[in-house]
Amino acid sequence: MSELVLINVSGRDKPGLTSEITGIMGRYDVRILDIGQAVIHDHLTWGILIEIPDESHSSPVIRDLLFRLHALNLQVHFAPISEEEYLQWAEGRNRACYIVTLLSRDIKAEQIARVSAITARHGLNIDNISRLSARPSLNSNGNRIACVEFSVRGTPADLEQLRSDFLHIAGEMNVDIAFQEDSIFRRNRRLVVFDMDSTLIEAEVIDELALEAGVGDQVAEITERAMRGELDFSASFAERLALLKGLDESVLAGVAARLRMTEGAEHLIRSLKSLGYRTAILSGGFNYFARHLQNKLGIDYIYANELEIENGKVTGRVAGTIVDGQRKAELLQEIAEKEHISREQVIAVGDGANDLPMLSQAGLGVAFRAKPLVKESARHSISTLGLDAILYLIGFRESESKQLGVER
């Protein structure tokens, strides 16, 4: 009869430990059923589940391991595992696996406690916890970025309530919490589509143009209501655009020059391009400014409204069909088909109510610094960090930035 033994080792890490431990096991034809290791601040925690082919051989294996690990000044614990326990554990590995991503400026113990309390309450067990962000500096005064990822397993009874619970504590603690299935598509996205205004850039361009036209307050009030979903986008867009009639074409270049990129936007785009992603702007704004960003960032596709200009003056109309929420969703599908990828491989990012259709179409839809209605309706949201926090949602580690040559 074979014997199953779980071995846990802890102590100061040093090169060659895995070779030493498994080398001893190898002399007894031991079979490895599971293995895992974590190192935090040079302290090792190492676990291995083994099958010893002949029960009579367990004592020599354990004896030799115990002597060697003691000599290496490591702590060790042996626990026999029954076949029933093993089969029950193995069956549990077939349950659905999810990823919970905690995003914050600083990770606090209370945040970990409350996130893990919710996963436990919904019947999810934490398999693994990893830090994806860089190790924090003790003296940093700038915009810190912190991310911890939980791999959890189980079958929650109410996924919508689970997401609602995460959204609630995220608001209370001023953090972002993403919850997604750990599917084959998570690290196999191929296309990211962005809204432009208040997503890739900090401003609403139509509001900036309105300032130049002397109707800033009127247009800004309509824009705010439209982005909250209180007004039909196409109708409100036409109303705002009409107020720009007579604006001189020469002001466009000045507005484009002063547009500020959103925090993390340039780092995100550089990283995505280095990883081979395709990128697109799907905007209810204007092509003139989308082309400006395309040239600056190297965006692959742009779709926005063509501001009609006659005799050097804005007419207050657009040429062609308005790019509204439904059109954005259609464009997302069209680009995906052109790139020969599925919708599950698309990430969509936006902030306004008119972005919700495309967010719902994408495999990963992210409401970025969005209005409350949008944040509550989208499956994922980022409010506390910059746009490049999206990299963490696809499992990107800060250390990988060095390999890509795109460090912040």
Side-chain angles (χ1 to χ4, degrees):
M1 292 289 293
S2 62
E3 185 174 5
L4 308 182
V5 180
L6 175 63
I7 305 172
N8 292 108
V9 177
S10 63
R12 191 162 187 82
D13 190 28
K14 61 189 73 173
L17 288 180
T18 299
S19 177
E20 289 239 27
I21 297 169
T22 54
I24 293 171
M25 297 176 185
R27 297 200 294 266
Y28 296 92
D29 197 27
V30 164
R31 181 185 177 199
I32 306 297
L33 301 177
D34 197 18
I35 187 169
Q37 174 180 307
V39 178
I40 298 178
H41 197 60
D42 292 332
H43 188 88
L44 167 76
T45 301
W46 194 87
I48 187 166
L49 179 61
I50 64 173
E51 180 185 30
I52 303 170
D54 187 331
E55 190 170 343
S56 63
H57 288 166
S58 63
S59 294
V61 175
I62 292 172
R63 179 199 62 210
D64 290 356
L65 286 171
L66 188 60
F67 285 161
R68 185 58 187 146
L69 292 169
H70 178 73
L72 293 169
N73 199 30
L74 296 171
Q75 307 300 313
V76 61
H77 178 263
F78 300 94
I81 303 295
S82 69
E83 183 177 343
E84 182 181 2
E85 288 174 316
Y86 175 76
L87 292 174
Q88 185 178 8
W89 170 81
E91 178 64 27
R93 309 307 292 178
N94 295 325
R95 292 181 295 173
C97 188
Y98 301 91
I99 297 295
V100 181
T101 310
L102 172 61
L103 301 161
S104 181
R105 294 295 178 183
D106 280 304
I107 300 297
K108 303 291 182 66
E110 180 191 9
Q111 298 164 3
I112 302 290
R114 298 191 67 182
V115 167
S116 57
I118 288 176
T119 59
R121 188 161 68 245
H122 286 271
L124 296 170
N125 187 63
I126 298 174
D127 283 346
N128 187 59
I129 302 176
S130 301
R131 174 186 48 78
L132 301 187
S133 53
R135 291 183 175 88
S137 168
L138 297 179
N139 302 311
S140 174
N141 294 318
N143 280 341
R144 292 187 291 265
I145 297 175
C147 175
V148 171
E149 179 184 278
F150 304 77
S151 177
V152 300
R153 195 179 298 272
T155 308
D158 190 339
L159 281 172
E160 292 308 313
Q161 184 59 52
L162 173 61
R163 289 190 170 94
S164 177
D165 290 348
F166 279 140
L167 184 63
H168 176 72
I169 67 166
E172 283 189 348
M173 297 188 297
N174 193 31
V175 301
D176 293 314
I177 303 170
F179 178 81
Q180 56 184 313
E181 185 177 357
D182 191 13
S183 70
I184 191 173
F185 297 110
R186 180 169 172 261
R187 284 186 65 107
N188 193 32
R189 315 285 187 193
R190 305 309 313 149
L191 168 68
V192 187
V193 301
F194 298 93
D195 173 46
M196 180 172 66
D197 297 28
S198 297
T199 300
L200 276 177
I201 57 175
E202 293 184 347
E204 292 286 335
V205 169
I206 198 166
D207 292 352
E208 297 298 311
L209 294 175
L211 288 173
E212 298 291 338
V215 290
D217 290 343
Q218 293 171 260
V219 169
E221 190 272 337
I222 300 171
T223 300
E224 181 68 16
R225 293 181 63 197
M227 291 302 101
R228 290 199 302 261
E230 296 174 6
L231 300 174
D232 174 74
F233 177 81
S234 294
S236 67
F237 181 70
E239 182 182 355
R240 287 175 287 165
L241 194 55
L243 293 170
L244 302 182
K245 183 177 180 180
L247 181 65
D248 197 281
E249 180 183 13
S250 62
V251 306
L252 301 185
V255 170
R258 71 173 184 250
L259 294 177
R260 294 180 56 186
M261 301 296 300
T262 301
E263 177 194 353
E266 293 179 89
H267 177 243
L268 172 62
I269 299 296
R270 290 198 309 270
S271 299
L272 292 173
K273 288 174 67 66
S274 296
L275 291 167
Y277 280 68
R278 304 289 278 175
T279 55
I281 291 175
L282 307 183
S283 174
F286 304 110
N287 268 325
Y288 180 93
F289 302 96
R291 284 191 290 267
H292 172 76
L293 289 181
Q294 183 179 39
N295 293 334
K296 184 174 183 177
L297 300 173
I299 302 291
D300 296 299
Y301 298 94
I302 60 165
Y303 294 91
N305 298 301
E306 195 62 52
L307 189 60
E308 188 178 78
I309 296 174
E310 293 180 354
N311 301 318
K313 301 289 185 180
V314 172
T315 67
R317 300 184 298 271
V318 293
T321 305
I322 292 177
V323 178
D324 59 8
Q326 185 57 41
R327 183 57 182 148
K328 287 187 177 188
E330 293 168 358
L331 287 166
L332 181 152
Q333 183 64 43
E334 289 176 17
I335 299 172
E337 290 176 359
K338 184 175 181 178
E339 294 290 335
H340 305 292
I341 62 174
S342 67
R343 288 190 294 107
E344 287 79 5
Q345 293 177 282
V346 181
I347 301 172
V349 191
D351 73 297
N354 63 316
D355 294 313
L356 284 172
M358 76 171 183
L359 298 187
S360 67
Q361 288 290 306
L364 178 64
V366 182
F368 179 71
R369 297 183 180 176
K371 306 298 184 291
L373 170 67
V374 182
K375 190 173 181 179
E376 291 169 10
S377 302
R379 298 182 75 82
H380 308 283
S381 65
I382 295 174
S383 299
T384 60
L385 300 183
L387 204 57
D388 52 352
I390 288 169
L391 292 168
Y392 294 132
L393 301 189
I394 59 174
F396 187 85
R397 294 177 180 273
E398 192 69 29
S399 58
E400 293 172 329
S401 292
K402 293 182 180 180
Q403 299 172 35
L404 295 175
V406 290
E407 295 179 78
R408 284 187 178 84

